[in-house]
Protein backbone atom coordinates (compact mmCIF):
# COMPACT_ATOMS: atom_id res chain seq x y z
CA UNK A 1 0.00 0.00 0.00
CA UNK A 2 1.21 3.52 -0.79
CA UNK A 3 -0.59 4.91 2.25
CA UNK A 4 1.79 3.77 4.97
CA UNK A 5 -0.24 5.29 7.78
CA UNK A 6 -3.31 3.21 7.01
CA UNK A 7 -1.28 0.16 6.07
CA UNK A 8 0.38 0.37 9.44
CA UNK A 9 -2.98 0.65 11.19
CA UNK A 10 -4.31 -2.36 9.31
CA UNK A 11 -1.29 -4.35 10.47
CA UNK A 12 -1.76 -3.13 14.03
CA UNK A 13 -5.40 -4.20 14.01
CA UNK A 14 -4.46 -7.61 12.54
CA UNK A 15 -1.96 -8.01 15.33
CA UNK A 16 -4.48 -6.90 17.94
CA UNK A 17 -7.13 -9.33 16.65
CA UNK A 18 -4.63 -12.20 16.71
CA UNK A 19 -3.31 -11.46 20.17
CA UNK A 20 -6.56 -11.24 22.15
CA UNK A 21 -9.18 -13.72 23.27
CA UNK A 22 -12.22 -12.22 21.59
CA UNK A 23 -15.42 -13.07 23.43
CA UNK A 24 -17.55 -10.32 21.87
CA UNK A 25 -20.72 -12.22 21.01
CA UNK A 26 -21.48 -10.19 17.87
CA UNK A 27 -18.03 -10.43 16.27
CA UNK A 28 -16.35 -13.01 14.12
CA UNK A 29 -13.38 -13.48 11.78
CA UNK A 30 -14.26 -13.73 8.08
CA UNK A 31 -12.44 -15.94 5.61
CA UNK A 32 -9.84 -14.71 3.13
CA UNK A 33 -12.41 -15.27 0.38
CA UNK A 34 -14.89 -12.92 2.05
CA UNK A 35 -12.14 -10.30 2.39
CA UNK A 36 -11.18 -10.80 -1.26
CA UNK A 37 -14.75 -10.08 -2.37
CA UNK A 38 -14.98 -7.06 -0.06
CA UNK A 39 -11.79 -5.59 -1.47
CA UNK A 40 -12.80 -6.20 -5.09
CA UNK A 41 -13.58 -3.84 -7.97
CA UNK A 42 -17.30 -4.21 -7.27
CA UNK A 43 -16.85 -1.26 -4.93
CA UNK A 44 -16.43 0.94 -8.04
CA UNK A 45 -19.87 0.22 -9.43
CA UNK A 46 -23.15 2.12 -9.09
CA UNK A 47 -26.15 -0.18 -9.35
CA UNK A 48 -29.23 1.66 -8.06
CA UNK A 49 -32.26 -0.52 -8.57
CA UNK A 50 -32.53 -4.29 -8.68
CA UNK A 51 -31.18 -6.99 -11.04
CA UNK A 52 -32.60 -6.41 -14.53
CA UNK A 53 -33.97 -2.98 -13.55
CA UNK A 54 -31.05 -0.66 -12.83
CA UNK A 55 -30.72 3.09 -13.26
CA UNK A 56 -27.13 2.80 -14.55
CA UNK A 57 -25.57 0.92 -17.44
CA UNK A 58 -22.87 -1.68 -17.11
CA UNK A 59 -24.53 -3.82 -14.51
CA UNK A 60 -24.57 -7.19 -16.25
CA UNK A 61 -21.98 -8.61 -13.84
CA UNK A 62 -23.40 -6.97 -10.70
CA UNK A 63 -26.80 -8.41 -11.62
CA UNK A 64 -25.29 -11.90 -11.62
CA UNK A 65 -23.70 -11.29 -8.23
CA UNK A 66 -26.89 -10.01 -6.62
CA UNK A 67 -28.98 -12.82 -8.08
CA UNK A 68 -26.48 -15.38 -6.87
CA UNK A 69 -26.51 -13.90 -3.37
CA UNK A 70 -30.32 -14.03 -3.31
CA UNK A 71 -30.50 -17.61 -4.57
CA UNK A 72 -27.91 -18.73 -2.06
CA UNK A 73 -29.67 -16.95 0.81
CA UNK A 74 -32.92 -18.79 0.10
CA UNK A 75 -31.12 -22.09 -0.46
CA UNK A 76 -29.17 -21.85 2.79
CA UNK A 77 -32.15 -21.18 5.02
CA UNK A 78 -35.06 -22.93 3.30
CA UNK A 79 -34.62 -26.63 2.73
CA UNK A 80 -37.56 -27.37 0.41
CA UNK A 81 -37.32 -25.76 -3.05
CA UNK A 82 -41.13 -25.39 -3.11
CA UNK A 83 -41.03 -23.36 0.11
CA UNK A 84 -38.39 -21.01 -1.31
CA UNK A 85 -40.97 -19.77 -3.78
CA UNK A 86 -43.04 -18.31 -0.93
CA UNK A 87 -40.26 -15.95 0.09
CA UNK A 88 -38.74 -12.81 -1.30
CA UNK A 89 -35.23 -11.79 -0.35
CA UNK A 90 -33.41 -8.47 -0.34
CA UNK A 91 -29.62 -8.42 0.04
CA UNK A 92 -29.11 -4.67 -0.31
CA UNK A 93 -29.54 -3.35 3.27
CA UNK A 94 -26.33 -1.65 4.35
CA UNK A 95 -26.51 -3.20 7.80
CA UNK A 96 -28.89 -4.61 10.40
CA UNK A 97 -30.28 -1.34 11.69
CA UNK A 98 -31.33 0.03 8.27
CA UNK A 99 -32.79 -3.40 7.42
CA UNK A 100 -35.07 -3.30 10.45
CA UNK A 101 -35.94 0.31 9.74
CA UNK A 102 -36.90 -0.60 6.17
CA UNK A 103 -39.22 -3.37 7.33
CA UNK A 104 -41.02 -1.12 9.82
CA UNK A 105 -41.31 1.68 7.29
CA UNK A 106 -42.71 -0.68 4.66
CA UNK A 107 -45.24 -2.46 6.85
CA UNK A 108 -46.29 -0.28 9.77
CA UNK A 109 -47.84 3.18 9.27
CA UNK A 110 -45.98 5.92 11.18
CA UNK A 111 -47.28 6.49 14.69
CA UNK A 112 -48.74 3.01 15.05
CA UNK A 113 -47.64 0.45 17.59
CA UNK A 114 -45.12 -2.37 17.55
CA UNK A 115 -43.92 -4.73 20.23
CA UNK A 116 -40.48 -6.10 21.01
CA UNK A 117 -38.07 -6.90 23.80
CA UNK A 118 -36.67 -3.96 25.75
CA UNK A 119 -32.97 -3.22 25.30
CA UNK A 120 -32.30 -3.59 29.02
CA UNK A 121 -33.66 -7.14 28.98
CA UNK A 122 -31.74 -8.20 25.88
CA UNK A 123 -33.48 -6.56 22.91
CA UNK A 124 -31.85 -4.32 20.29
CA UNK A 125 -31.78 -0.53 19.91
CA UNK A 126 -33.85 -0.87 16.73
CA UNK A 127 -36.61 -2.67 18.62
CA UNK A 128 -37.92 0.69 19.80
CA UNK A 129 -35.37 1.80 22.36
CA UNK A 130 -35.85 5.42 23.39
CA UNK A 131 -32.63 6.73 21.82
CA UNK A 132 -33.40 5.00 18.49
CA UNK A 133 -35.36 6.77 15.75
CA UNK A 134 -37.60 3.69 15.74
CA UNK A 135 -39.12 4.93 19.01
CA UNK A 136 -39.64 8.45 17.68
CA UNK A 137 -41.61 7.33 14.64
CA UNK A 138 -43.65 4.49 16.12
CA UNK A 139 -45.13 3.61 19.50
CA UNK A 140 -43.78 0.55 21.24
CA UNK A 141 -44.76 -1.93 23.89
CA UNK A 142 -41.83 -3.76 25.46
CA UNK A 143 -41.67 -7.13 27.10
CA UNK A 144 -38.81 -8.58 29.13
CA UNK A 145 -38.08 -11.84 30.88
CA UNK A 146 -39.54 -13.40 34.00
CA UNK A 147 -37.76 -12.06 37.08
CA UNK A 148 -37.19 -15.48 38.60
CA UNK A 149 -36.42 -17.73 35.65
CA UNK A 150 -34.93 -14.97 33.47
CA UNK A 151 -36.68 -16.64 30.53
CA UNK A 152 -39.24 -15.22 28.13
CA UNK A 153 -42.68 -15.49 29.70
CA UNK A 154 -45.07 -16.23 26.84
CA UNK A 155 -48.20 -15.77 28.97
CA UNK A 156 -47.05 -12.24 29.79
CA UNK A 157 -46.15 -11.57 26.16
CA UNK A 158 -49.59 -12.79 25.10
CA UNK A 159 -51.30 -10.62 27.69
CA UNK A 160 -49.34 -7.60 26.57
CA UNK A 161 -50.08 -8.29 22.91
CA UNK A 162 -53.84 -8.56 23.57
CA UNK A 163 -53.80 -5.33 25.56
CA UNK A 164 -51.53 -3.27 23.29
CA UNK A 165 -52.62 -4.68 19.92
CA UNK A 166 -49.34 -3.99 18.09
CA UNK A 167 -49.32 -4.11 14.28
CA UNK A 168 -46.02 -5.97 14.31
CA UNK A 169 -44.26 -8.15 16.87
CA UNK A 170 -40.51 -8.56 16.65
CA UNK A 171 -38.67 -11.46 18.28
CA UNK A 172 -34.89 -11.66 18.26
CA UNK A 173 -32.33 -10.40 20.68
CA UNK A 174 -28.77 -9.37 21.40
CA UNK A 175 -28.42 -10.68 24.91
CA UNK A 176 -30.86 -13.55 25.44
CA UNK A 177 -29.13 -16.89 25.54
CA UNK A 178 -32.05 -19.27 25.23
CA UNK A 179 -34.11 -20.76 22.46
CA UNK A 180 -37.02 -18.62 21.30
CA UNK A 181 -40.34 -20.42 20.93
CA UNK A 182 -41.25 -19.25 17.43
CA UNK A 183 -44.54 -21.22 17.23
CA UNK A 184 -45.75 -19.50 20.41
CA UNK A 185 -44.91 -16.06 19.04
CA UNK A 186 -46.74 -16.99 15.81
CA UNK A 187 -49.88 -17.96 17.72
CA UNK A 188 -49.80 -14.73 19.72
CA UNK A 189 -49.38 -12.67 16.54
CA UNK A 190 -52.25 -14.56 14.89
CA UNK A 191 -54.56 -13.93 17.84
CA UNK A 192 -54.32 -10.18 17.30
CA UNK A 193 -53.66 -10.15 13.56
CA UNK A 194 -50.12 -8.80 13.90
CA UNK A 195 -47.23 -9.29 11.50
CA UNK A 196 -44.60 -11.56 13.05
CA UNK A 197 -41.02 -10.52 12.40
CA UNK A 198 -37.91 -12.35 13.57
CA UNK A 199 -34.61 -10.49 13.81
CA UNK A 200 -32.15 -13.38 13.76
CA UNK A 201 -29.07 -11.15 13.49
CA UNK A 202 -27.32 -12.86 16.37
CA UNK A 203 -28.16 -16.50 15.76
CA UNK A 204 -28.47 -16.70 11.94
CA UNK A 205 -25.28 -18.77 11.73
CA UNK A 206 -26.68 -21.20 14.28
CA UNK A 207 -29.90 -21.53 12.27
CA UNK A 208 -27.85 -22.10 9.10
CA UNK A 209 -25.82 -24.74 10.92
CA UNK A 210 -28.96 -26.48 12.19
CA UNK A 211 -28.23 -25.99 15.88
CA UNK A 212 -30.91 -23.40 16.67
CA UNK A 213 -34.59 -23.56 15.62
CA UNK A 214 -35.38 -22.01 12.26
CA UNK A 215 -37.98 -19.24 12.25
CA UNK A 216 -38.85 -19.78 8.57
CA UNK A 217 -41.95 -21.87 9.22
CA UNK A 218 -43.43 -19.22 11.49
CA UNK A 219 -42.36 -15.69 10.64
CA UNK A 220 -43.73 -13.28 8.04
CA UNK A 221 -40.49 -11.32 7.84
CA UNK A 222 -36.97 -12.26 8.92
CA UNK A 223 -34.07 -9.84 9.10
CA UNK A 224 -30.49 -10.72 9.78
CA UNK A 225 -27.06 -9.22 9.83
CA UNK A 226 -24.46 -11.37 8.14
CA UNK A 227 -21.38 -10.47 10.21
CA UNK A 228 -22.17 -12.18 13.51
CA UNK A 229 -22.49 -15.97 13.81
CA UNK A 230 -22.95 -16.16 10.01
CA UNK A 231 -19.31 -14.98 9.61
CA UNK A 232 -19.73 -12.71 6.60
CA UNK A 233 -19.36 -9.02 5.75
CA UNK A 234 -21.21 -6.20 7.56
CA UNK A 235 -24.45 -6.33 5.61
CA UNK A 236 -28.01 -7.43 6.27
CA UNK A 237 -30.58 -9.56 4.49
CA UNK A 238 -34.37 -9.23 4.64
CA UNK A 239 -36.48 -12.32 3.94
CA UNK A 240 -40.19 -11.72 3.54
CA UNK A 241 -43.28 -13.65 2.59
CA UNK A 242 -44.12 -12.73 -0.99
CA UNK A 243 -47.10 -10.56 0.01
CA UNK A 244 -44.72 -8.18 1.84
CA UNK A 245 -41.73 -8.33 -0.50
CA UNK A 246 -42.66 -5.63 -2.97
CA UNK A 247 -43.30 -3.04 -0.26
CA UNK A 248 -40.03 -3.94 1.44
CA UNK A 249 -38.00 -3.79 -1.79
CA UNK A 250 -39.42 -0.37 -2.59
CA UNK A 251 -38.61 0.87 0.89
CA UNK A 252 -35.00 -0.36 0.81
CA UNK A 253 -34.53 1.33 -2.57
CA UNK A 254 -35.47 4.05 -3.39
CA UNK A 255 -37.21 4.67 -0.05
CA UNK A 256 -34.25 4.56 2.27
CA UNK A 257 -31.03 3.78 0.45
CA UNK A 258 -29.23 4.68 -2.75
CA UNK A 259 -26.77 2.51 -4.62
CA UNK A 260 -26.22 -0.95 -3.16
CA UNK A 261 -22.71 -1.91 -2.05
CA UNK A 262 -21.95 -4.50 -4.71
CA UNK A 263 -18.67 -5.55 -3.10
CA UNK A 264 -20.53 -6.30 0.13
CA UNK A 265 -23.16 -8.26 -1.78
CA UNK A 266 -20.42 -10.30 -3.47
CA UNK A 267 -18.93 -10.99 -0.04
CA UNK A 268 -22.35 -12.03 1.31
CA UNK A 269 -22.67 -14.49 -1.56
CA UNK A 270 -19.30 -15.97 -0.56
CA UNK A 271 -20.26 -16.28 3.10
CA UNK A 272 -23.60 -17.90 2.24
CA UNK A 273 -21.82 -20.54 0.18
CA UNK A 274 -19.36 -21.16 3.00
CA UNK A 275 -22.28 -21.56 5.40
CA UNK A 276 -23.68 -24.40 3.26
CA UNK A 277 -20.60 -26.53 3.83
CA UNK A 278 -20.38 -29.44 6.29
CA UNK A 279 -17.46 -27.60 7.89
CA UNK A 280 -19.77 -24.72 8.78
CA UNK A 281 -22.28 -27.11 10.37
CA UNK A 282 -19.49 -28.42 12.57
CA UNK A 283 -18.46 -24.88 13.32
CA UNK A 284 -21.97 -23.90 14.44
CA UNK A 285 -22.20 -27.00 16.61
CA UNK A 286 -18.86 -26.19 18.21
CA UNK A 287 -19.89 -22.57 18.85
CA UNK A 288 -22.76 -23.76 21.04
CA UNK A 289 -20.69 -26.49 22.71
CA UNK A 290 -18.04 -23.90 23.52
CA UNK A 291 -20.56 -21.42 24.91
CA UNK A 292 -22.03 -24.15 27.13
CA UNK A 293 -18.58 -25.25 28.32
CA UNK A 294 -17.54 -21.66 29.09
CA UNK A 295 -20.78 -20.91 30.96
CA UNK A 296 -20.57 -24.14 32.93
CA UNK A 297 -16.93 -23.62 33.90
CA UNK A 298 -17.62 -20.08 35.08
CA UNK A 299 -20.66 -21.20 36.99
CA UNK A 300 -18.61 -23.91 38.74
CA UNK A 301 -16.26 -21.16 39.84
CA UNK A 302 -19.06 -19.23 41.50
CA UNK A 303 -20.13 -16.84 38.75
CA UNK A 304 -23.87 -16.46 38.29
CA UNK A 305 -24.98 -17.06 34.69
CA UNK A 306 -28.23 -15.34 33.71
CA UNK A 307 -31.00 -17.97 33.30
CA UNK A 308 -28.52 -20.59 34.46
CA UNK A 309 -26.93 -21.35 31.10
CA UNK A 310 -27.17 -21.03 27.35
CA UNK A 311 -28.64 -22.70 24.24
CA UNK A 312 -26.74 -20.46 21.85
CA UNK A 313 -23.44 -18.73 21.23
CA UNK A 314 -23.70 -16.25 24.10
CA UNK A 315 -24.61 -15.71 27.73
CA UNK A 316 -24.54 -13.05 30.43
CA UNK A 317 -22.60 -13.15 33.70
CA UNK A 318 -23.93 -11.27 36.73
CA UNK A 319 -20.61 -9.85 37.95
CA UNK A 320 -22.37 -7.49 40.38
CA UNK A 321 -23.50 -10.51 42.39
CA UNK A 322 -19.87 -10.58 43.56
CA UNK A 323 -19.52 -6.82 43.85
CA UNK A 324 -17.93 -6.13 40.45
CA UNK A 325 -19.67 -3.84 37.98
CA UNK A 326 -19.76 -4.85 34.33
CA UNK A 327 -17.54 -1.94 33.37
CA UNK A 328 -14.90 -2.85 35.93
CA UNK A 329 -15.01 -6.50 34.86
CA UNK A 330 -14.66 -5.54 31.19
CA UNK A 331 -11.67 -3.31 31.96
CA UNK A 332 -9.94 -5.87 34.20
CA UNK A 333 -10.30 -8.55 31.53
CA UNK A 334 -9.06 -6.21 28.81
CA UNK A 335 -5.78 -5.64 30.69
CA UNK A 336 -5.19 -9.39 30.25
CA UNK A 337 -6.29 -9.35 26.58
CA UNK A 338 -9.70 -10.91 27.10
CA UNK A 339 -12.20 -8.79 25.23
CA UNK A 340 -15.84 -8.78 26.38
CA UNK A 341 -18.56 -6.16 26.62
CA UNK A 342 -20.33 -4.84 29.67
CA UNK A 343 -24.04 -5.53 29.48
CA UNK A 344 -27.19 -4.88 31.46
CA UNK A 345 -28.75 -7.93 33.02
CA UNK A 346 -32.52 -8.40 33.43
CA UNK A 347 -33.97 -6.05 36.09
CA UNK A 348 -30.62 -4.28 36.32
CA UNK A 349 -30.47 -1.66 39.06
CA UNK A 350 -27.29 -0.09 37.71
CA UNK A 351 -26.97 2.40 34.83
CA UNK A 352 -26.39 1.12 31.22
CA UNK A 353 -22.87 2.66 31.00
CA UNK A 354 -21.85 0.76 34.13
CA UNK A 355 -24.26 -2.17 34.37
CA UNK A 356 -24.24 -5.32 36.48
CA UNK A 357 -22.91 -7.82 33.99
CA UNK A 358 -20.83 -8.80 31.01
CA UNK A 359 -21.80 -10.61 27.81
CA UNK A 360 -19.64 -13.45 26.57
CA UNK A 361 -19.85 -15.18 23.20
CA UNK A 362 -17.91 -17.89 21.37
CA UNK A 363 -18.29 -17.26 17.58
CA UNK A 364 -14.86 -15.66 17.13
CA UNK A 365 -12.80 -18.02 19.30
CA UNK A 366 -14.50 -21.01 17.66
CA UNK A 367 -13.46 -19.71 14.24
CA UNK A 368 -9.90 -19.73 15.57
CA UNK A 369 -10.33 -23.43 16.30
CA UNK A 370 -10.78 -23.40 20.07
CA UNK A 371 -12.65 -26.30 21.70
CA UNK A 372 -14.23 -27.12 25.07
CA UNK A 373 -10.89 -27.75 26.81
CA UNK A 374 -9.77 -24.26 25.77
CA UNK A 375 -13.01 -22.81 27.18
CA UNK A 376 -12.17 -24.33 30.55
CA UNK A 377 -8.78 -22.61 30.40
CA UNK A 378 -10.40 -19.30 29.45
CA UNK A 379 -12.89 -19.67 32.32
CA UNK A 380 -10.00 -20.29 34.72
CA UNK A 381 -8.26 -17.19 33.43
CA UNK A 382 -11.39 -15.03 33.71
CA UNK A 383 -12.01 -16.33 37.21
CA UNK A 384 -8.44 -15.63 38.29
CA UNK A 385 -8.57 -12.05 36.98
CA UNK A 386 -11.98 -11.20 38.40
CA UNK A 387 -12.02 -12.97 41.75
CA UNK A 388 -9.15 -10.89 43.12
CA UNK A 389 -11.43 -7.89 42.89
CA UNK A 390 -14.68 -9.61 43.90
CA UNK A 391 -16.15 -9.08 47.36
CA UNK A 392 -16.49 -12.82 48.01
C1 LIG B 1 -26.55 -6.47 15.52
C2 LIG B 1 -28.02 -6.39 15.53
C3 LIG B 1 -28.70 -5.44 14.74
C4 LIG B 1 -28.03 -4.29 14.03
O1 LIG B 1 -27.00 -4.52 13.25
P1 LIG B 1 -26.01 -3.36 12.74
O2 LIG B 1 -25.40 -4.01 11.56
O3 LIG B 1 -25.07 -3.10 13.87
O4 LIG B 1 -26.82 -2.17 12.40
C5 LIG B 1 -30.07 -5.49 14.74
N1 LIG B 1 -30.75 -6.37 15.48
C6 LIG B 1 -30.13 -7.28 16.27
C7 LIG B 1 -30.95 -8.24 17.06
C8 LIG B 1 -28.75 -7.31 16.32
O5 LIG B 1 -28.16 -8.20 17.11
Amino acid sequence: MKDKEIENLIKLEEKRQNSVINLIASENYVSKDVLRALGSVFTNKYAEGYPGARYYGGNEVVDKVENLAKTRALKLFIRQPADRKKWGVNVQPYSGSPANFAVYLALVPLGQKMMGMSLGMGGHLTHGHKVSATSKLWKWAHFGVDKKTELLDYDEIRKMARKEKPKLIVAGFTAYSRIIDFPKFRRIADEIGAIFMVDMSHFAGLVAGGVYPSPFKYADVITTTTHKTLRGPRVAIIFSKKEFSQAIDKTVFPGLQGGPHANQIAAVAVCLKEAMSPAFKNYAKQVVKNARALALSLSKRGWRIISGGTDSHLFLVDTWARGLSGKTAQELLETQKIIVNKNTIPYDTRPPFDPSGIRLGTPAVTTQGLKEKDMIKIAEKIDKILKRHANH
Side-chain angles (χ1 to χ4, degrees), residues 26 94-98 100 123-124 126-127 172-174 199-202 225 227-228 234-235:
S26 49
Y94 298 150
S95 210
S97 301
N100 286 351
H124 189 256
T126 58
H127 300 177
F173 319 108
T174 66
D199 176 352
M200 63 172 186
S201 291
H202 254 273
T225 55
H227 49 277
K228 297 176 184 174
R234 312 191 74 82
V235 192

Side-chain angles (χ1 to χ4, degrees), residues 54-227:
R54 306 283 189 184
Y55 288 82
Y56 293 77
N59 273 308
E60 67 272 17
V61 190
V62 169
D63 277 7
K64 286 201 172 89
V65 168
E66 188 166 342
N67 281 329
L68 194 54
K70 290 166 83 162
T71 310
R72 286 180 180 175
L74 291 171
K75 198 170 159 199
L76 175 63
F77 287 104
I78 307 171
R79 219 131 277 154
Q80 301 296 333
D83 290 340
R84 288 176 205 147
K85 293 195 176 69
K86 297 176 196 152
W87 290 84
V89 57
N90 192 309
V91 294
Q92 293 194 3
Y94 298 150
S95 210
S97 301
N100 286 351
F101 203 77
V103 173
Y104 304 153
L105 214 48
L107 305 182
V108 184
L110 292 180
Q112 299 221 354
K113 193 175 279 179
M114 290 186 268
M115 193 169 122
M117 193 181 216
S118 65
L119 182 77
M121 295 273 188
H124 189 256
L125 280 166
T126 58
H127 300 177
H129 188 58
K130 60 178 185 293
V131 300
S132 158
T134 56
S135 82
K136 300 189 167 67
L137 299 173
W138 295 275
K139 295 192 192 81
W140 286 82
H142 282 124
F143 55 85
V145 292
D146 179 72
K147 200 163 184 175
K148 226 170 126 207
T149 61
E150 296 174 315
L151 300 174
L152 288 169
D153 178 344
Y154 296 93
D155 292 332
E156 275 306 309
I157 294 170
R158 177 167 178 261
K159 247 186 240 163
M160 184 180 285
R162 288 166 64 98
K163 180 165 168 267
E164 305 281 351
K165 302 240 175 341
K167 292 280 176 291
L168 182 149
I169 299 175
V170 53
F173 319 108
T174 66
Y176 183 71
S177 64
R178 297 303 192 166
I179 277 168
I180 303 167
D181 192 330
F182 297 124
K184 271 195 187 140
F185 266 109
R186 173 78 261 174
R187 281 201 292 278
I188 293 167
D190 281 344
E191 258 187 72
I192 57 161
I195 294 167
F196 177 37
M197 163 177 164
V198 173
D199 176 352
M200 63 172 186
S201 291
H202 254 273
F203 51 85
L206 306 183
V207 174
V211 294
Y212 195 91
S214 168
F216 276 83
K217 258 214 265 213
Y218 306 101
D220 299 304
V221 181
I222 299 170
T223 58
T224 185
T225 55
T226 52
H227 49 277

Side-chain angles (χ1 to χ4, degrees), residues 349-370:
T349 51
R350 300 181 52 81
F353 51 86
D354 192 10
S356 298
I358 50 176
R359 185 183 69 166
L360 273 57
T362 53
V365 288
T366 308
T367 292
Q368 289 175 318
L370 302 198

